[in-house]
Structures are given as structure tokens and as C-alpha cells.
């Protein structure tokens, strides 16, 4: 089948149907025929035995031949692979994930995106955590995993990689503190029974974004001790960085559009704190230019902020194996105030945006 990796066929192993699968991988996809072969190869290379997981790809009305590619891969893969087609009238990532989840055969599902590439130990790391915590009196219900940007070929790759690492670090830290704010849909897992218990995506189905964070917040509200960040390099998932500045801005606007719909106070408080801190530093430079007496205080504020950021980012960049990105810390700080303000305002305008060939809000 053209489009499948050349290395896909030689690693095929005979399935062992006697053992029930332990995990189901959910992937919502629309017109991803170019990206999917890399993901399928990464799944073929998982260290978790192939008879212990299944993969469900939900086709959101693709028009690029993706269905034929998945059918060809399913005939050759060592793991169970199925294509779930969305019926007419249902569109979007949440509908696709829900349709796939409904056909899963396992108690837990693991989610990633069609253009991602998980590490070989990805599913093994999730399986180890889930199995080790099952007998505990406070079982797990939701697991957030680490995500790393891969270069998109743009001049701002380093800046973007460092910013993204900061988001991963903040999300992990907030989960550790018991006040979850953010996670990434490219790498997470949840218990299916809990997903249905909290209503799945029903109360935010009309929003194009937020399939990850809204679910995190609802599950944490029901089970405060049942949410964990998987700080394991074996569970790392790579996701491509936007290749152009325009693509970057539209991606961030899409993320920002869900901010008014957060129910817990912690995500909104964090967003306002970050925006206020960065605007204050930028205004400090302006006032320091005109009022020399303020310069020592401005310098102290900048040193405090940069030091705190470096302290947070050092272990995160170690987990992501990208500590060289720390060299971009000062340029990122200089650019972050106007960037975050512009994206935040654009995300609240409510005019929608183009995504996957559709106009969404």
C-alpha cells in the first residue's frame, strides 16, 4: 500500500488472540493520510506486546484516502486496528473520540493525535502505572503524559519548544499540587467508566477545543486524588511544531478560545496571573527607561522571573531531553507579553477560525 512505511511490514508478529487487550489507543483523524504512517509505525514498535492493546482510528469525514491506508495497515499490523467512521451529522474531534471510545474493549483508553509519534515505551509506561495502582484504595482515573515539540522548520522553533515545555511543566506542577489546570490531548489516558460517569464531552460538545482539559477538570472534581502526571521519558510523545507564524497564531487562538468556558477557578486564575506578570515586566522596561530610579527594581523583577522560570524548566527540559532550549529563555520573555496579550484577546472575540478545512468556533 503506497504511503505505509517500508519498515512497517518486516516487524509484523503473529497476534495472540487468547489474551484480552489491556489498553485501547484512540485517535481522532481528518485528512491525515500523510501523517498517519509515522504514527502507525510508532505503534508497531511499542514494547507492550501487540496483543495487549488495540488501536481505534475515528475518521472525521476524511477526503484524502486515509480510510484506504488504515484498511491496508489493519491487514498487516500485529496489533488490532480498526477504523471508526463518523456518521453524517457528527463532526469534530470530540464526536470522533466519543465514537471510538464507545467501541473500545478495554477499561482504559490512551489518546494521541494522528500527527504524533510516541516513544517505543509509551504504552508500556501507561500499563505499568495503571496496573500498579489498581489495588490501591485511591485508584487512578486520569493520567496526563509529557509532550515534546519537534522542529517545524521555522525560525522560532526554539522559542516555541521552550514555551511548550513551560506549559507541560506548569500542567504537571498543578496536577501535583492538586489543582489541575492544563494537559495535552496528544498524550493522556482515562478510565472509561469514569468518562461516562462525568458525562464525557456532553456539556462542551459545541466547542471545537478542550476535549482534554474539560475532561481533566471534571474528573478531578469527582476524584481529586485520581489524577496523575506521568513523569516518565518512556511515555514521551512528539508532536510537530507549527511550520509558520500564521499556523502558530491560529493554533494558540484555538487554545485560548476555551478559556471563558472553564468551570474551576484555578485555570482562569493561572491565566490571569501569567498575563499580569508578563505585562508587568514589559511595562517595567518602559517605566525604567523614563525613570532611572526604578531600574534596580525592574532589574530585580526580571531576575526573579527568569530565575523562577529556569528553576521550573530545568527538570522539565531534562524529561524532554531538550535542555539546550533554555538558551531561548530571555528572548521568549521579551516577546511573551505582546504575544500572550494578542492571542488572549483574539481567542475571546468569538468569530471562530478555520481548522481542518472547516469554520469552527
Amino acid at each position: 500500500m503506497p504511503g505505509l512505511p517500508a519498515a512497517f511490514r518486516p516487524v509484523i508478529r503473529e497476534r495472540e488472540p487468547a489474551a484480552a487487550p489491556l489498553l485501547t489507543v484512540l485517535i481522532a483523524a481528518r485528512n491525515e493520510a500523510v501523517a498517519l504512517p509515522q504514527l502507525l509505525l510508532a505503534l508497531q514498535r511499542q514494547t507492550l506486546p501487540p496483543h495487549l492493546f488495540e488501536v481505534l482510528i475515528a475518521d472525521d469525514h476524511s477526503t484524502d484516502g486515509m480510510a484506504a491506508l488504515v484498511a491496508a495497515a489493519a491487514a498487516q499490523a500485529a496489533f488490532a486496528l480498526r477504523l471508526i467512521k463518523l456518521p453524517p451529522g457528527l463532526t469534530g474531534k470530540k464526536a470522533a473520540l466519543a465514537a471510538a471510545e464507545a467501541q473500545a474493549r478495554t477499561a482504559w483508553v490512551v489518546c494521541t493525535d494522528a500527527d504524533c509519534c510516541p516513544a517505543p515505551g509509551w504504552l508500556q509506561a501507561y500499563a505499568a502505572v495503571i496496573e500498579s495502582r489498581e489495588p490501591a484504595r485511591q485508584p487512578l482515573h486520569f493520567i496526563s503524559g509529557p509532550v515534546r515539540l519537534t522542529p517545524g522548520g521555522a525560525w522560532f522553533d526554539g522559542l516555541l519548544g521552550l514555551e511548550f515545555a513551560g506549559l507541560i511543566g506548569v500542567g504537571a506542577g498543578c496536577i501535583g499540587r492538586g489543582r489541575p489546570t492544563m494537559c495535552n490531548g496528544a498524550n493522556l489516558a482515562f478510565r472509561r467508566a469514569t468518562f461516562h460517569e462525568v458525562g464525557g464531552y456532553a456539556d462542551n460538545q459545541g466547542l471545537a477545543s478542550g476535549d482534554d482539559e474539560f475532561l481533566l477538570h471534571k474528573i478531578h472534581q469527582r476524584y481529586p486524588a485520581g489524577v496523575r502526571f506521568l513523569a516518565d521519558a518512556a511515555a514521551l510523545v512528539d508532536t510537530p511544531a507549527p511550520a509558520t507564524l500564521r499556523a502558530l497564531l491560529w493554533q494558540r487562538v484555538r487554545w485560548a478560545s476555551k478559556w471563558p468556558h472553564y468551570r474551576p477557578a484555578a485555570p482562569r486564575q493561572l491565566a490571569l496571573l501569567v498575563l499580569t506578570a508578563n505585562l508587568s515586566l514589559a511595562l517595567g522596561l518602559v517605566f525604567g527607561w523614563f525613570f532611572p530610579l526604578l531600574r534596580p527594581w525592574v532589574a530585580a523583577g526580571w531576575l526573579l522571573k527568569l530565575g523562577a522560570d529556569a528553576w521550573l524548566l530545568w527538570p522539565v527540559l531534562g524529561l524532554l531531553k531538550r535542555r539546550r532550549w533554555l538558551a531561548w529563555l530571555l528572548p521568549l520573555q521579551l516577546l511573551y507579553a505582546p504575544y500572550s496579550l494578542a492571542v488572549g484577546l483574539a481567542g475571546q472575540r468569538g468569530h471562530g477560525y478555520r481548522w481542518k478545512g472547516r469554520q469552527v468556533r
Side-chain angles (χ1 to χ4, degrees):
M1 170 71 187
L4 287 176
F8 193 75
R9 288 181 287 274
V11 295
I12 293 173
R13 299 178 290 273
E14 185 179 353
R15 293 179 186 162
E16 301 179 41
L22 176 67
L23 296 171
T24 299
V25 179
L26 302 185
I27 303 157
R30 173 174 166 80
N31 294 335
E32 295 285 4
V34 173
L36 262 180
Q38 175 182 251
L39 174 58
L40 292 172
L41 181 58
L43 293 172
Q44 190 77 355
R45 291 173 172 170
Q46 291 296 298
T47 56
L48 186 70
H51 63 280
L52 293 182
F53 68 94
E54 62 178 357
V55 178
L56 304 183
I57 299 177
D59 182 3
D60 183 8
H61 308 286
S62 297
T63 59
D64 66 346
M66 189 186 76
L69 185 145
V70 173
Q76 305 172 29
F79 53 85
L81 173 62
R82 286 183 284 158
L83 182 71
I84 313 297
K85 291 192 175 184
L86 277 184
L90 289 180
T91 61
K93 185 177 181 181
K94 292 190 184 76
L97 289 175
E101 184 277 332
Q103 298 198 35
R105 296 186 293 149
T106 61
W108 277 82
V109 297
V110 185
C111 300
T112 191
D113 293 333
D115 57 355
C116 290
C117 184
W122 180 53
L123 293 178
Q124 187 76 60
Y126 274 104
V129 172
I130 292 168
E131 290 186 311
S132 67
R133 288 292 296 270
E134 286 300 334
R137 284 185 290 179
Q138 294 182 331
L140 285 173
H141 296 268
F142 187 101
I143 306 172
S144 173
V147 182
R148 177 179 63 189
L149 282 189
T150 54
W155 61 268
F156 50 81
D157 276 344
L159 286 168
L160 192 54
L162 184 63
E163 183 223 9
F164 198 87
L167 296 176
I168 297 299
V170 169
C174 290
I175 288 175
R177 296 286 295 176
R179 299 191 70 190
T181 55
M182 65 184 76
C183 61
N184 195 293
N187 192 6
L188 61 83
F190 56 83
R191 189 189 295 269
R192 292 182 62 217
T194 310
F195 175 79
H196 291 283
E197 186 179 343
V198 300
Y201 306 122
D203 54 348
N204 50 70
Q205 187 69 48
L207 298 172
S209 186
D211 54 281
D212 42 16
E213 293 175 359
F214 291 133
L215 184 61
L216 165 66
H217 299 158
K218 290 194 295 184
I219 290 179
H220 175 261
Q221 186 175 18
R222 184 69 61 91
Y223 297 103
V227 177
R228 174 177 172 179
F229 181 80
L230 183 53
D232 187 345
L236 191 61
V237 168
D238 283 316
T239 188
T244 66
L245 184 59
R246 179 182 178 85
L248 165 64
L249 292 176
W250 278 121
Q251 182 191 66
R252 294 305 195 258
V253 167
R254 178 168 59 91
W255 291 356
S257 65
K258 62 194 173 189
W259 183 81
H261 304 278
Y262 287 139
R263 291 182 179 178
R268 295 193 298 270
Q269 292 170 347
L270 177 64
L272 289 174
L273 175 63
V274 170
L275 181 60
T276 302
N278 285 288
L279 287 176
S280 298
L281 289 176
L283 290 174
L285 291 178
V286 176
F287 283 109
W289 177 268
F290 292 103
F291 303 100
L293 289 177
L294 294 177
R295 290 174 186 173
W297 297 100
V298 173
W302 273 79
L303 288 174
L304 181 62
K305 176 64 163 59
L306 292 173
D309 285 349
W311 174 79
L312 168 70
L313 286 165
W314 186 254
V316 178
L317 293 173
L319 174 65
L320 303 181
K321 302 178 182 178
R322 291 293 185 271
R323 280 182 169 155
R324 65 179 183 273
W325 283 348
L326 199 60
W328 290 95
L329 183 57
L330 179 58
L332 179 62
Q333 183 60 66
L334 290 168
L335 293 172
Y336 205 74
Y339 157 75
S340 57
L341 182 61
V343 168
L345 291 175
Q348 311 315 310
R349 292 177 62 188
H351 296 317
Y353 46 85
R354 296 289 297 177
W355 185 250
K356 298 288 184 181
R358 294 187 181 128
Q359 182 68 27
V360 296
R361 67 179 181 91

